[in-house]
Amino acid sequence: MPDALLTAERLVRRFARETNLLIAGRTVEVVGESDVADELRALLIRVGARIGRGAVVFAPGSATEIRLDGAALPRRGSADERIDFAGAHMPVSRGIAETLRFAGTVRGTRIGIAMVLEPKTAQLALLLRDAGAEVAVYAHPDEIDPDVAAALRARGIPVDGDPALTGSAEREAAIAFLRRGHDLLLDDGSHLIRLAHEEELVTGLRGAAEETTSGLTPLRLMAEEGLLRIPVIAVNDAPMKTAFDNRYGTGQSCVFAIADVLDTVGIGVRDQPAVVIGYGPVGEGVAAHLRALGAAVSITETDPVRALRAAHDGYETGRLHALAPGALVVSATGAPHTIDPDTLRAARIVAVAGGVPGEVDVDVAGLLPVELAGTAHPHLERAGDGALLIARGGCVNLAAAEGNPIEIMDLSFAVQLSAVSQLLGTVLPAGVHPFPSESDEAVARAALAARGESLDVRSDAQLRAQDDWRSPRYRDGAA
């Protein structure tokens, strides 16, 4: 890879890694005229930034290569610093939480948050607590930042879960969390919603909100079979969640995490074949960011409509076993058994974006260490004589990075906070319910305002024409 290209890519990845901020939609200034500056401008545009005068300035070759708000990138060494930095960049969630506080909507409500615990989730908990709710947090052992958990406990919010827990101890921690007694659950993967039903701990639950596709699938099956006993808001299906979290957030964080890990062992993403499995919103984002870094991307899909969309987006499509040999293979399905042993043997590198347990069929006991500076690499192993496996087939942006960018989670948690308002303000029957379109639009308007973006309005003539089309003579087919 030419030095200018690599330097530009490393600068962009460094900004994302050290700030956990989003690049897409951001106005970024690049100072100077050089090969690196030219490559920077081109790369930033490919990942969705606008080149101009903004709060982020790249100055390749200078003593301070990246500036944020006129200063060097901020220190985020401690968990408290990371939590507070996240809070400073979550204006949409903060605004909705303030509305809840002023209205007294959540005052005294017991809310359990069962999600990956990192700085943005900590902010969600703090916002709800400050709005008047009684908040507790649970995180799976593989999804908890112990420093963030300690910082949250020090701020008065109980946290159940520990990275050291396994087997029955892990389950007991989750049950203990449910036994605290919650009015609402905010879940990621529906693990706690389902556990509450299994353990007969649903009594008292007024409802829940579910964050993910993989979590909604079993809940919908439960609803069809008459087993779901509470209302659940499908947060994942809200456009303000799926269109941004899944595509832009997961795309940037997963691909940059993959590139960061591979860079440590001298492997570049650029100019190598890459296969993305699945072309839903996550797959779209992963493919777009891989392409932006210069990979030759192919798509494999079982859905004919999505496969056709991938082809129209300029990607080669085909079958996994034909495309995988020698390639970087990234699963974006959120479904178990996506990458089978044959694919694991044939591919060069394997990673998972998003992820559920068992998405890669791998025997972890057979993984071989990859050394980095004489010690086992923290995120890279070899599957026998086959592929390099990143993060043991777990969610790569959580295992090898800090999760989705802050501004993206600001939008997702704004939807969660709005779902809380819906659950408390509306009597809903048991089942899975859509997030209201008017609430989704309100989150979008708040996000546009926070980013200083403009929204157009219809002219009087357009509004009159719209009213004409609503008139009975058109509805009744008389025109």
Side-chain angles (χ1 to χ4, degrees):
M1 184 186 300
D3 288 348
L5 295 176
L6 182 57
T7 300
E9 182 187 316
R10 284 174 172 165
L11 281 170
V12 172
R13 286 194 277 114
R14 179 186 151 206
F15 168 76
R17 183 173 61 249
E18 294 188 12
T19 65
N20 198 215
L21 293 176
L22 183 68
I23 292 171
R26 185 181 297 279
T27 300
V28 179
E29 183 177 357
V30 178
V31 175
E33 298 299 330
S34 66
D35 290 345
V36 173
D38 290 343
E39 295 295 346
L40 261 173
R41 293 185 184 98
L43 176 56
L44 287 164
I45 289 170
R46 290 198 299 272
V47 293
R50 294 174 293 196
I51 304 301
R53 296 185 66 83
V56 177
V57 177
F58 286 87
S62 71
T64 304
E65 292 184 311
I66 309 174
R67 296 192 292 272
L68 178 61
D69 295 323
L73 295 182
R75 171 182 162 81
R76 294 193 314 133
S78 72
D80 281 310
E81 286 170 330
R82 289 185 287 135
I83 291 170
D84 292 340
F85 182 85
H89 292 85
M90 295 174 66
V92 185
S93 292
R94 188 167 59 248
I96 293 175
E98 279 293 293
T99 300
L100 295 177
R101 183 173 73 84
F102 284 126
T105 306
V106 299
R107 188 173 299 123
T109 303
R110 299 166 301 171
I111 300 179
I113 299 174
M115 297 182 184
V116 176
L117 181 53
E118 39 77 45
K120 286 92 69 182
T121 310
Q123 271 297 327
L124 174 63
L126 291 168
L127 288 171
L128 281 166
R129 191 273 307 274
D130 293 346
E134 298 176 18
V135 182
V137 176
Y138 169 80
H140 186 275
D142 293 337
E143 298 176 342
I144 185 169
D145 183 324
D147 295 331
V148 171
L152 209 51
R153 292 184 186 109
R155 299 190 190 197
I157 293 180
V159 178
D160 294 299
D162 187 287
L165 296 177
T166 58
S168 61
E170 170 198 329
R171 184 180 177 89
E172 285 306 313
I175 292 172
F177 166 78
L178 290 171
R179 284 183 176 146
R180 289 182 182 276
H182 306 292
D183 297 305
L184 302 178
L185 279 178
L186 309 185
D187 207 349
D188 181 338
S190 73
H191 304 294
L192 273 293
I193 298 172
R194 287 177 281 154
L195 183 62
H197 283 74
E198 290 172 20
E199 295 293 322
E200 294 297 328
L201 295 171
V202 179
T203 303
L205 264 179
R206 296 173 60 178
E210 171 51 44
E211 177 94 353
T212 64
T213 304
S214 57
L216 285 172
T217 299
L219 292 179
R220 288 194 165 106
L221 290 174
M222 289 175 65
E224 288 173 8
E225 296 170 5
L227 300 176
L228 186 61
R229 292 159 54 188
I230 60 172
V232 179
I233 303 297
V235 165
N236 178 78
D237 293 353
M240 284 304 298
K241 192 277 181 183
T242 299
F244 296 90
D245 186 315
N246 295 20
R247 190 189 190 284
Y248 298 100
T250 306
Q252 173 181 306
S253 59
C254 288
V255 171
F256 284 13
I258 291 167
D260 282 342
V261 169
L262 296 181
D263 202 2
T264 63
V265 291
I267 300 175
V269 170
R270 187 176 303 276
D271 296 328
Q272 73 168 309
V275 181
V276 177
I277 309 175
Y279 203 64
V282 170
E284 286 181 20
V286 169
H289 283 80
L290 284 169
R291 175 188 270 175
L293 294 190
V297 182
S298 300
I299 305 294
T300 179
E301 247 297 351
T302 58
D303 182 293
V305 176
R306 288 179 172 178
L308 190 61
R309 278 183 30 229
H312 280 74
D313 286 339
Y315 299 108
E316 178 188 356
T317 63
R319 295 197 171 190
L320 177 58
H321 287 168
L323 296 171
L328 162 62
V329 176
V330 183
S331 177
T333 65
H337 311 301
T338 294
I339 296 180
D340 61 19
D342 288 342
T343 302
L344 199 56
R345 282 189 292 270
R348 183 187 185 193
I349 304 153
V350 166
V352 172
V356 295
E359 196 156 334
V360 179
D361 288 334
V362 60
D363 177 7
V364 295
L367 294 176
L368 303 174
V370 172
E371 289 197 351
L372 177 65
T375 60
H377 197 292
H379 304 302
L380 202 59
E381 295 168 289
R382 186 172 293 281
D385 59 355
L388 292 170
L389 181 63
I390 302 178
R392 294 198 160 195
C395 185
V396 67
N397 65 341
L398 296 177
E402 204 174 348
N404 279 351
I406 295 168
E407 300 98 328
I408 287 295
M409 296 312 299
D410 183 27
L411 301 180
S412 293
F413 288 160
V415 175
Q416 285 278 10
L417 291 164
S418 298
V420 166
S421 181
Q422 182 187 5
L423 287 164
L424 294 176
T426 310
V427 178
L428 296 170
V432 178
H433 299 270
F435 184 70
S437 58
E438 60 271 19
S439 298
D440 202 62
E441 183 176 297
V443 172
R445 289 179 182 277
L448 285 168
R451 288 156 171 73
E453 303 289 350
S454 299
L455 188 66
D456 206 351
V457 295
R458 291 186 178 91
S459 68
D460 290 342
Q462 287 175 310
L463 291 172
R464 285 194 299 271
Q466 181 175 289
D467 289 339
D468 285 344
W469 281 104
R470 289 173 175 162
S471 67
R473 67 193 187 101
Y474 283 108
R475 287 202 309 270
D476 298 341

